[in-house]
Amino acid sequence: MRYSLLFFVFVLLFTFSYGKEKWKPDRDFVKAKVVKVVDGDTIVVSIPKTTFNNRKTLKNLRFNLRLIGIDTPESKPNRRAKIQSKETDKDVKTIVKLGKKAKAFTKNLVKGYRYVFLEFDLQPQDRYGRLLAYVWLPDGRMLNKEIICNGYAYPLTIPPNIKYKDQFLRCFHYARENKLGLWR
């Protein structure tokens, strides 16, 4: 009896001491600061320092960044909100209301973090010049995945950036089935 109790205590200590290992970003990830949340799926980031060709260093570069693999409703009435309105049979006012909820959710996820980490896929920019990335929070959660898993986005797969496509689809179905986020 005594040995089983000691074994149990040892297992608990082992689990808690190794289970809380700090997440470390991949060395290919780019460290960035979130300057502003534009929309549920678009943010502005500042990259503190980047070196090109092992010689030229650029500092504090600002970029509009589109989160890969997800699409949230627009938070302002615009052309895209009208398209979303037709696609979903909801009026533009409803689209914007849902978009503001998605934006607030995204803003809440990134607040309090000094930096995030950007993971690029095969195509790092879109035709509008925005960066395309998966954004990782310092605690190891992916922002894109958190937004869709909690019901604030639709999946949006545009090849060649398809690395997490299956995870995003599973999250989307789970959120819809369980009436999370915008699906309440």
Side-chain angles (χ1 to χ4, degrees):
M1 178 74 162
R2 185 172 182 208
Y3 289 110
S4 60
L5 180 63
L6 284 173
F7 179 75
F8 178 72
V9 169
F10 175 76
V11 169
L12 277 177
L13 288 173
F14 181 80
T15 302
F16 286 113
S17 64
Y18 288 98
K20 295 198 177 199
E21 227 176 273
K22 191 173 179 179
W23 177 81
K24 292 181 182 168
D26 188 277
R27 62 187 205 95
D28 291 335
F29 289 9
V30 175
K31 188 176 183 179
K33 181 178 182 174
V34 177
V35 176
K36 177 181 173 183
V37 175
V38 176
D39 233 331
D41 54 23
T42 308
I43 60 178
V44 176
V45 295
S46 173
I47 299 175
K49 183 177 172 185
T50 304
T51 304
F52 292 94
N53 300 329
N54 295 323
R55 294 186 319 203
K56 181 73 175 160
T57 300
L58 301 174
K59 295 180 181 177
N60 296 320
L61 300 173
R62 278 185 166 211
F63 296 97
N64 286 337
L65 183 145
R66 180 73 165 71
L67 299 171
I68 296 174
I70 67 170
D71 187 33
T72 63
E74 294 297 307
S75 61
K76 295 178 182 162
N78 57 28
R79 195 181 91 215
R80 179 77 181 123
K82 289 177 186 173
I83 292 169
Q84 288 177 335
S85 173
K86 288 178 186 171
E87 291 173 347
T88 61
D89 290 328
K90 292 182 168 94
D91 60 43
V92 172
K93 190 176 180 179
T94 303
I95 294 294
V96 169
K97 183 179 174 185
L98 295 173
K100 287 181 180 183
K101 286 182 180 182
K103 179 180 178 178
F105 184 79
T106 301
K107 198 180 256 190
N108 192 48
L109 281 174
V110 298
K111 81 174 180 191
Y113 291 116
R114 190 173 162 115
Y115 289 99
V116 295
F117 299 91
L118 312 181
E119 177 186 7
F120 297 100
D121 209 330
L122 296 177
Q123 183 181 354
Q125 272 188 305
D126 66 10
R127 63 182 179 192
Y128 306 109
R130 298 178 296 189
L131 288 181
L132 301 172
Y134 305 104
V135 176
W136 292 86
L137 302 172
D139 63 10
R141 294 179 298 153
M142 184 200 304
L143 180 62
N144 316 46
K145 188 174 177 181
E146 288 296 313
I147 294 167
I148 198 165
C149 286
N150 284 285
Y152 289 92
Y154 294 93
L156 178 65
T157 303
I158 301 174
N161 295 343
I162 60 169
K163 185 173 183 178
Y164 297 104
K165 174 185 84 165
D166 294 336
Q167 288 182 39
F168 293 163
L169 275 172
R170 281 193 299 275
C171 279
F172 172 71
H173 292 300
Y174 176 83
R176 294 277 313 243
E177 288 167 8
N178 291 284
K179 298 182 180 358
L180 300 177
L182 304 178
W183 319 125
R184 288 181 202 165

